[in-house]
Amino acid sequence: MLATDHEEAGNTVSESWRSFGEQRLSAPLAAALACFVEQGYHGTTIRRIAERAGLSVPGLYHHYPSKQALLEGLVMTVMHELLDHTRRAAAEAGDDPGRRFDNIVECLLRFHMHRRDQAFVASTEIRGMDPGVRGAYIALRDEQQRMVDDTVREGVDRGAFATPYPRDAGRAVTTMCVAVSSWYRPDGELSPDEVVEHYLALCRATVGAR
Amino acid sequence: MLATDHEEAGNTVSESWRSFGEQRLSAPLAAALACFVEQGYHGTTIRRIAERAGLSVPGLYHHYPSKQALLEGLVMTVMHELLDHTRRAAAEAGDDPGRRFDNIVECLLRFHMHRRDQAFVASTEIRGMDPGVRGAYIALRDEQQRMVDDTVREGVDRGAFATPYPRDAGRAVTTMCVAVSSWYRPDGELSPDEVVEHYLALCRATVGAR
DNA sequence: ACACCGACCGAGCGATCGCTCGGTCAGGGA
DNA sequence: TCCCTGACCGAGCGATCGCTCGGTCGGTGT
């Protein structure tokens, strides 16, 4: 599939959609992420971000032109990463809607555990985005939602799923998976594999998988 | 002051848990609610709330001592209302966990449609609450969650539900219902009764109701 | 040797924040 | 009549906001 990839700065481009490498955020982005998670976008000051990044305020502005640009950097990066992984998860499943549903849901779940903070900020800070950023984010989010919806509908059409409400079921499944970023903790009682096992079963039940 | 707020938005005790009276919020609370929904707590200024309420800034402070008190008034009122309705919905169902589950879920769904804005603010503005308010809110939210969890577990114990993961199923069901407040619109394509019909079926499927 | 450049910062800009001081004014009880 | 009370507001407080000006400094190319 990807033949000539070479390792680059310790990161391999051709990794499986199931695995998410360590996040390599710049110091300002990492600091902004931690602040936004704790206080929200409007509740965070540029001075606090700079302090957390080990920079002065002008030093921070040397790398990013505005507070909004920090939010944009976090949100856009993580949404493209999600879509990239989900597309590969769907492609790997081939034509069977049941298998595709399983792969997409597993991908959504693993993403919202491995990229918990960024996913949390993206989904809760929509009101903090300027119109341009918000529009771009919503377009990506809708594209992600459509992949789930199409798979559920196709599964119902082909008799793999039994739910009488495919549209609502698709939204419910996405909601469940996105919410993982608001309660999952690496030191919690469920491991990532267990979360996938449990929630994949729940999502299958929700769409009436036979 | 806050005790008065609770009564202000309260409904007559004799009406059914299924019906929610028209919201009776004071002008400042109604203005704060609209602002918080649109811009979030930290993104809203006291001047904007006052303007929307048809008051000057000191006029606003004559009725509420702080911006935080407005948030507290909105969140506490609506959570007490939810718990009150849910308790009556559960009591009416008697001893059968299947019926109790149906009633609680229907109550959750109707609440998140009729009190959409307040429920949305309560669930998305936790980071804007001062520690005291946050603690009180979370205690009420956990109590609500426990009613769902206990019912699911009892349903599994008594053979009414088949899910192997009652705890996760309870969280998933609550998540689905709470999320209604973030997409439901009175002029949308689904009426409240249709939303109840669809999502009750999805929630039953999620817990594996037989 | 020296010009240049990216990385960074002390100080502070104008705007706006939550909140308050010191009132005005209509209506009601004695 | 007279003053009390609750409802309200013009003006503005000190603090803090996002952001910028005018630099310093160490490394690099020539």
Side-chain angles (χ1 to χ4, degrees):
Chain A
M1 194 184 301
L2 294 169
T4 60
D5 280 323
H6 288 62
E7 289 176 2
E8 203 175 50
N11 190 33
T12 313
V13 179
S14 59
E15 64 181 350
S16 156
W17 57 264
R18 253 180 262 261
S19 69
F20 291 81
E22 265 308 298
Q23 194 68 294
R24 287 173 5 235
L25 292 176
S26 64
L29 276 186
L33 178 57
C35 289
F36 293 166
V37 166
E38 290 170 17
Q39 332 259 267
Y41 178 76
H42 285 301
T44 296
T45 73
I46 219 74
R47 276 163 244 264
R48 181 88 190 93
I49 297 174
E51 182 189 11
R52 205 153 182 159
L55 289 171
S56 67
V57 170
L60 177 67
Y61 277 94
H62 178 75
H63 298 281
Y64 294 87
S66 66
K67 184 182 173 186
Q68 182 71 204
L70 289 163
L71 180 62
E72 179 177 1
L74 289 170
V75 166
M76 287 301 141
T77 307
V78 84
M79 284 307 289
H80 280 112
E81 191 182 11
L82 170 61
L83 274 176
D84 172 61
H85 279 245
T86 309
R87 283 201 197 95
R88 284 189 282 135
E92 190 191 274
D95 200 38
D96 176 23
R99 270 200 66 203
R100 196 156 78 242
F101 179 80
D102 286 357
N103 274 17
I104 292 176
V105 168
E106 179 178 347
C107 182
L108 266 174
L109 291 168
R110 293 197 186 278
F111 171 80
H112 282 90
M113 288 185 279
H114 283 93
R115 295 288 179 265
R116 184 195 53 177
D117 287 352
Q118 278 184 80
F120 178 74
V121 166
S123 64
T124 59
E125 223 59 70
I126 303 180
R127 289 172 300 186
M129 299 176 197
D130 284 353
V133 177
R134 180 162 50 231
Y137 166 74
I138 287 180
L140 296 177
R141 191 199 60 179
D142 288 352
E143 194 177 334
Q144 169 70 40
Q145 177 72 60
R146 201 172 338 111
M147 294 177 74
V148 176
D149 289 346
D150 290 350
T151 302
V152 172
R153 194 178 317 271
E154 198 182 324
V156 168
D157 290 345
R158 294 222 229 152
F161 302 150
T163 182
Y165 311 114
R167 189 199 171 107
D168 301 295
R171 179 162 45 200
V173 164
T174 308
T175 298
M176 258 186 255
C177 294
V178 170
V180 167
S181 70
S182 68
W183 58 261
Y184 171 78
R185 296 290 177 274
D187 58 347
E189 53 187 65
L190 292 182
S191 71
D193 286 345
E194 287 170 330
V195 170
V196 168
E197 182 190 339
H198 292 204
Y199 273 76
L200 191 48
L202 292 174
C203 290
R204 281 181 182 141
T206 302
V207 298
R210 300 182 201 277
Chain B
M1 171 85 67
L2 287 180
T4 309
D5 292 339
H6 293 173
E7 289 166 17
E8 175 183 22
N11 40 288
T12 42
V13 179
S14 56
E15 73 179 341
S16 157
W17 57 265
R18 254 179 262 261
S19 68
F20 291 82
E22 265 309 299
Q23 196 70 292
R24 284 164 17 230
L25 293 176
S26 64
L29 276 186
L33 177 58
C35 289
F36 292 164
V37 166
E38 288 169 19
Q39 330 259 256
Y41 178 75
H42 285 302
T44 296
T45 73
I46 218 75
R47 278 163 241 264
R48 182 87 191 94
I49 297 174
E51 182 188 13
R52 206 153 179 161
L55 288 172
S56 67
V57 170
L60 178 67
Y61 276 93
H62 178 75
H63 297 281
Y64 293 88
S66 68
K67 185 183 173 185
Q68 182 71 205
L70 289 163
L71 180 60
E72 177 177 1
L74 289 170
V75 165
M76 288 300 138
T77 306
V78 84
M79 285 305 291
H80 282 295
E81 190 181 10
L82 170 60
L83 275 176
D84 173 60
H85 278 244
T86 309
R87 285 201 196 94
R88 284 189 282 136
E92 191 192 273
D95 199 40
D96 176 24
R99 270 198 66 203
R100 195 156 78 240
F101 179 81
D102 287 357
N103 274 17
I104 291 176
V105 168
E106 180 179 347
C107 183
L108 265 174
L109 292 167
R110 294 197 186 277
F111 170 80
H112 282 90
M113 290 185 278
H114 283 94
R115 295 289 181 263
R116 185 194 54 177
D117 287 351
Q118 278 184 82
F120 179 73
V121 166
S123 65
T124 59
E125 222 58 72
I126 303 180
R127 289 172 301 185
M129 300 177 198
D130 285 353
V133 177
R134 180 161 52 232
Y137 166 72
I138 287 180
L140 296 177
R141 192 199 60 180
D142 288 352
E143 193 176 335
Q144 169 69 39
Q145 179 70 60
R146 200 170 340 111
M147 293 178 74
V148 176
D149 288 347
D150 290 349
T151 302
V152 172
R153 193 177 318 269
E154 197 181 325
V156 169
D157 288 346
R158 294 221 229 154
F161 303 151
T163 181
Y165 311 114
R167 188 198 170 111
D168 300 295
R171 180 163 45 203
V173 164
T174 307
T175 298
M176 260 186 250
C177 294
V178 170
V180 167
S181 70
S182 68
W183 58 261
Y184 171 77
R185 295 291 178 272
D187 58 348
E189 52 187 64
L190 292 182
S191 70
D193 285 345
E194 287 170 330
V195 170
V196 168
E197 181 189 340
H198 291 205
Y199 273 76
L200 190 48
L202 292 174
C203 290
R204 281 180 181 143
T206 302
V207 298
R210 302 183 198 278

